[in-house]
Amino acid sequence: MERTSPKQVMRIVATGPVGAGKTTLIKTISEIDVVETDRAATDDSVLLKPNTTVAMDFGRITFGPNMAVHIYGTPGQERFSFMWDILVHRAHALMLLVPLHRPSDFFMASKMLRYLQFHASDVPLVVVGTHRDLPDAWPAEEVLPALGIEPDAGIPIFSVNATQTHEAVQVLIALIEQYQRLTQSHAKAG
Amino acid sequence: MAINYSAIQNVLQEFVTSVGNIQGASIMSPDGLALASSLPPGMEEDRVAAMSAAMLALGERIGRELSRGNIERILIEGDKGFAMVSGCTDDAVLIVLTDDKGKLGVLNLEVKQLIARLRPMLTFSKSQVA
């Protein structure tokens, strides 16, 4: 914990396949104008949406006087994996967004999960099923096996509509609590 | 007529071989897909494309935030040379790499001329897109 600074800054990184809703989620919860780097998509993602993030998104939300959450969104395509490296490296907590209505993306999501577990194994992680509101959305808990997550792995899963502030904030609060439990147990151990 | 990528490839190749101290040149879509390249061996075209697009997008965003107007280019200066990223057309981004002997003035001039050469080759009317 940064004891010297008056404000604690927690960095959360949101990642997941193209069109999972990373930019949308950040825009939903950020208090500031989100820093976006989207460009017209010319790959397959154009089938889902006209624009795609090519570097990162950045938003901020404050909880009380002492806590600021900085939330970063990665690009979804694997060719931008160098951005995952840059952002995940400094993250305090991670969100893996999975589009519940697109089973074809579950494999990509499981690959990203593998990546996160390898590069940031000690960082709190939640799985966030998105597009919950769509008729063909899978129940979130049924997605876990598809991602290769054991039921007893202790990874919390949420299902949200990323345009709904209260749903997105719930995920955020759960992640902050998980992070604080971890830092407190570290403090006790140390 | 469709865009002739092999002709663009030839222009890039010629640029790299004929201009002194240039090690590589590559063009990509603004969302980071490789279009044509002449790069040093061992440098992966797809990775260069994604990185260049990310750099330009982030540079443009920072330029906007800091009121720097239109961004002409992003420059990385290392002790082994320059990497310069410029917008080429609305649909294409250019990156040029020099070795450690490269001069910035020469690079600026050569990149300007290269863009002027590439621009008509990269432009096509939308109605001609299949």
Side-chain angles (χ1 to χ4, degrees), chain A residues 53-75:
Chain A
T53 301
V54 300
M56 59 175 229
D57 301 312
F58 171 73
R60 196 190 65 203
I61 179 167
T62 46
F63 287 93
N66 302 320
M67 175 95 171
V69 172
H70 291 186
I71 178 159
Y72 295 85
T74 72

Side-chain angles (χ1 to χ4, degrees), chain A residues 36 39-42 54 79-80 82, chain B residues 31-33 50 54 57 60-61:
Chain A
E36 286 176 87
R39 289 292 178 269
T42 63
V54 300
R79 64 178 182 278
F80 292 110
F82 64 93
Chain B
D31 66 334
L33 292 175
E60 284 177 346
R61 186 62 183 80

Side-chain angles (χ1 to χ4, degrees), chain A residues 21-33:
Chain A
K22 302 176 288 296
T23 304
T24 305
L25 181 103
I26 294 172
K27 281 169 124 170
T28 299
I29 54 181
S30 179
E31 298 164 344
I32 58 165
D33 243 1

Side-chain angles (χ1 to χ4, degrees), chain B residues 15-28:
Chain B
F15 176 79
V16 172
T17 48
S18 66
V19 181
N21 308 115
I22 301 287
Q23 286 188 333
S26 178
I27 61 166
M28 61 287 306

